Amino acid sequence: MLPGKRGYFGRFGGKYVPETLMSALDELEREYLKAKKNPGFKKEFDFYLKKYAGRPTPLYFARNLTKKFKGARIYLKREDLLHTGAHKINNTIGQLLLAKRMKKNRIIAETGAGQHGVATATAAALFGCECHVYMGQEDMKRQALNVFRMALMGTEVIPVTSGSKTLKDAINETLRDWVTNIRTTHYVLGSVVGPHPYPKMVRDFQSVIGKEARAQILKEEGRLPDYLLACVGGGSNSMGLFYPFFKDKVRFVGVEAGGAGISSSKHAATLIKGGIGILHGSKSYVLQDSDGQINFTHSISAGLDYPGVGPEHSFYKKSGRASYVAVNDKEALAGFKMLSEIEGIIPALEPAHAIYQASKLAPKLSKKNIIIVCLSGRGDKDIDIVKEYL
Ligand SMILES: *Cc1c(COP(=O)(O)O)cnc(C)c1O
């Protein structure tokens, strides 16, 4: 099973970090492997996912969408119904439980739009930890409500003024903090990115999505689906859905942010348009220029607006296990409107990309085929942005 001991998925992954972080990563890996084997940890994790976050989430047969496209049967995995409104809480609860085991009571995290920051602040409040979240100054302005939410839960939000003042700069600052405060501090990374063991660990915590979906579709349809669709930012909701189906004859489609179009420079389609490079501690596909400088990215959805992607996705792309497509801002808005109007579900702009892709795929398939789409989050956070565009 991948990754191997050194944290590689084929040629992707690894630990490209300063010497001072190596011991913390080793400690984290040791604790994680120990916890993974410990039935007590699993019990505790399951307890909080169920009683606090609201799992299992429903696998909903989208009757109206299915009818409209006259093709494959479309199911939605409803991560939007979780506490805090997205899948990110699965990971932050898992990591906070680990931090407690490591006796690290100081929590730090990065955030872009604030979704991961809010999920971390939530788990930190739940488990009584001190929490500091790094956020680009630009992002703080755009997402003032999430800054306030974090403050309400007792988290300090620290503005980042370097570089483009957005997510990638916030990650750099968080890594700097970690180097300085390594003995007392755990870094809660928000996706399947970063140095080993994060991509593996976050995947495992998010795999609850796919495990549930697998059991639910078998119960409802008596067979596995033909396609799984999910949006890919860093890649955690998609990997969480895909991974438990790895050995099955099920096709995986990852949907990246096409922004203003992938022939422009304003997009975040890392796997489709990027090259192999190193960003935030691991080797993976990266959007970079010919000197290896990281490109600016754009997407209507903040959660997909990231120039990197998890190494396991790079491995899936190279090996052909998954295919990746881009959906642009306009199409994502169409997906957003469609789901709102037809099913009465207002999705986050991130999974609206996957909904749009499902609307293209379903009519090409037969009525016997089954598609599962990961509805990674709800749309409340995006209402202002959508209002501006429409
Ligand atoms: C953050 C976020 C994403 C993107 O992150 P992944 O790690 O790719 O899952 C997708 N959907 C929602 C609702 C998010 O908040």
Side-chain angles (χ1 to χ4, degrees):
M1 277 307 215
L2 292 175
K5 258 212 167 85
R6 288 170 54 241
Y8 280 88
F9 304 87
R11 58 192 287 207
F12 303 105
K15 286 187 212 182
Y16 296 82
V17 296
E19 205 50 47
T20 38
L21 282 186
M22 278 300 198
S23 63
L25 291 172
D26 288 345
E27 182 194 7
L28 179 60
E29 185 178 5
R30 262 197 319 277
E31 279 298 326
Y32 175 59
L33 292 177
K34 222 165 73 188
K36 210 176 156 174
K37 279 190 228 139
N38 181 342
F41 180 81
K42 191 181 174 317
K43 215 171 141 189
E44 213 179 356
F45 185 44
D46 288 347
F47 172 84
Y48 284 104
L49 288 183
K50 187 172 167 192
K51 301 285 184 181
Y52 183 77
R55 305 210 70 92
T57 59
L59 182 70
Y60 173 68
F61 173 56
R63 189 179 306 279
N64 302 336
L65 265 193
T66 299
K67 225 182 193 168
K68 180 175 165 79
F69 296 110
K70 301 182 175 64
R73 297 164 68 74
I74 303 171
Y75 281 84
L76 305 175
K77 182 60 175 158
R78 299 289 309 272
E79 296 299 291
D80 61 315
L81 293 175
L82 286 174
H83 179 44
T84 69
H87 67 293
K88 287 192 169 78
I89 192 88
N90 300 325
N91 171 45
T92 59
I93 288 178
Q95 287 203 41
L96 258 290
L97 286 173
L98 263 186
K100 293 297 268 187
R101 280 177 180 248
M102 291 186 287
K103 304 205 166 27
K104 292 188 167 180
N105 267 315
R106 184 175 178 272
I107 299 300
I108 56 172
E110 85 295 343
T111 197
Q115 292 306 108
H116 174 57
V118 169
T120 306
T122 304
L126 174 63
F127 295 109
C129 292
E130 168 194 338
C131 182
H132 309 268
V133 169
Y134 287 88
M135 189 168 185
Q137 206 172 39
E138 258 327 291
D139 290 334
M140 282 180 73
K141 270 192 246 157
R142 288 189 288 201
Q143 302 288 339
L145 199 57
N146 274 338
V147 175
F148 188 57
R149 277 196 186 104
M150 289 184 259
L152 279 176
M153 291 184 279
T155 282
E156 181 200 15
V157 182
I158 306 167
V160 175
T161 53
S162 56
S164 56
K165 307 185 178 65
T166 59
L167 176 62
K168 92 178 152 53
D169 313 290
I171 297 183
N172 291 335
E173 276 316 309
T174 320
L175 285 167
R176 243 169 251 149
D177 177 315
W178 205 24
V179 169
T180 317
N181 301 295
I182 206 131
R183 276 201 190 81
T184 57
T185 301
H186 175 62
Y187 177 9
V188 178
L189 239 173
S191 190
V192 289
V193 299
H196 180 65
Y198 282 102
K200 166 193 165 93
M201 183 174 75
V202 178
R203 173 198 74 195
D204 290 349
F205 289 146
Q206 293 290 5
S207 287
V208 65
I209 303 173
K211 276 184 210 153
E212 281 177 11
R214 200 173 187 288
Q216 287 166 322
I217 199 75
L218 283 174
K219 188 158 179 227
E220 181 131 352
E221 293 272 359
R223 70 181 201 75
L224 292 174
D226 300 285
Y227 283 88
L228 302 177
L229 263 61
C231 64
V232 179
S236 69
N237 84 87
S238 48
M239 195 50 73
L241 177 66
F242 295 170
Y243 186 67
F245 294 87
F246 183 78
K247 290 184 180 154
D248 300 315
K249 268 181 89 177
V250 176
R251 287 176 210 248
F252 302 164
V253 182
V255 184
E256 297 197 289
I262 57 171
S263 48
S264 75
S265 60
K266 294 178 73 181
H267 63 76
T270 310
L271 287 159
I272 295 168
K273 298 288 283 190
I276 295 169
I278 289 166
L279 177 65
H280 298 138
S282 66
K283 186 187 278 187
S284 195
Y285 277 83
V286 180
L287 288 168
Q288 57 192 351
D289 66 17
S290 51
D291 294 329
Q293 293 295 315
I294 304 306
N295 288 349
F296 286 98
T297 52
H298 162 81
S299 167
I300 188 171
S301 64
L304 304 186
D305 198 354
Y306 177 62
V309 68
E312 196 162 10
H313 279 290
S314 294
F315 172 70
Y316 279 16
K317 176 191 155 90
K318 263 281 185 232
S319 63
R321 180 63 188 88
S323 57
Y324 296 89
V325 297
V327 162
N328 68 34
D329 288 351
K330 263 200 190 134
E331 294 166 334
L333 276 170
F336 180 97
K337 279 192 72 181
M338 186 177 16
L339 197 68
S340 304
E341 287 168 7
I342 301 184
E343 295 285 356
I345 299 171
I346 301 177
L349 281 168
E350 291 86 1
H353 288 72
I355 295 291
Y356 179 84
Q357 187 59 30
S359 76
K360 294 283 113 179
L361 176 63
K364 293 183 196 152
L365 302 174
S366 93
K367 288 185 174 159
K368 283 190 206 134
N369 291 125
I370 299 169
I371 299 175
I372 296 178
V373 183
C374 188
L375 194 57
S376 53
R378 65 172 185 234
D380 309 40
K381 70 182 178 64
D382 295 322
I383 297 293
D384 286 340
I385 298 167
V386 172
K387 209 167 140 196
E388 214 170 282
Y389 272 81
L390 295 179

